[in-house]
Amino acid sequence: MGQNNAEGGCLCGAIRYKINGKILGAAVCHCRDCQYVCGGAPSYVFLVTAQSLEITKGETASFRSTADSGAIRIRHFCKACGTPLFAENSFYPDVLSIKAGSLDDPSIYKPAAHFWTKSAPNWHCIDPDLPSLPEGESRDPK
Ligand SMILES: [Zn+2]
Ligand SMILES: [Zn+2]
């Protein structure tokens, strides 16, 4: 990916955002929580620094939960149409994961790894050419 200044938003248009910085990475998360949030599918996300996400329109609603990793996740979504948009992770407070489906042009998205494959149902597609982990990334020791 690496594309700067990508823009996106939710299905109804109430929320709009802009990325003012580098995309740090991209991954597919198969954890059970993501299956709920994505309607069964894994979560296709890319990572940016928290300060590079600029909400240019509207205000998100959020839901807080404890992930299988033990991290507190705060998931932000549109309260009008329910589109999942981005999430905070207490293990990586400077990083946000943004749902690829919310990009204006989702074709710029390119996943680089699969996480939590042990939670994937057998009908999830897992690219055999990408690194995959049965669980998440281990907690950053920094
Ligand atoms: Zn919306
Ligand atoms: Zn997940």
Side-chain angles (χ1 to χ4, degrees), residues 11 14 32 46 51 55 67 87 94 101-102 110 112 117 121 129 135 138 141:
L11 176 61
R32 194 67 187 98
F46 59 95
Q51 64 267 35
I55 306 290
D94 302 333
S102 67
K110 200 170 186 303
T117 56
D129 294 333
E135 296 193 345
S138 58

Side-chain angles (χ1 to χ4, degrees), residues 10-127:
C10 66
L11 176 61
C12 77
I15 315 276
R16 294 288 305 160
Y17 67 78
K18 201 156 62 173
I19 308 297
N20 299 310
K22 264 215 330 229
I23 287 166
L24 307 172
V28 187
C29 183
H30 297 266
C31 84
R32 194 67 187 98
D33 294 0
C34 285
Q35 294 173 35
Y36 279 107
V37 171
C38 300
S43 188
Y44 291 86
V45 294
F46 59 95
L47 305 172
V48 299
T49 61
Q51 64 267 35
S52 51
L53 175 67
E54 183 191 347
I55 306 290
T56 53
K57 183 184 172 202
E59 209 175 298
T60 59
S62 64
F63 179 74
R64 188 187 174 96
S65 63
T66 304
D68 288 343
S69 63
I72 305 292
R73 304 300 312 270
I74 301 174
R75 296 171 180 274
H76 293 259
F77 54 93
C78 173
K79 54 183 174 270
C81 69
T83 299
L85 292 163
F86 61 95
E88 304 173 51
N89 181 329
S90 62
F91 287 173
Y92 305 97
D94 302 333
V95 175
L96 296 172
S97 61
I98 302 182
K99 295 278 190 284
S102 67
L103 287 166
D104 289 344
D105 179 9
S107 69
I108 67 168
Y109 179 73
K110 200 170 186 303
H114 290 261
F115 295 133
W116 288 98
T117 56
K118 75 169 193 186
S119 304
N122 59 13
W123 42 268
H124 273 187
C125 292
I126 297 170
D127 186 340

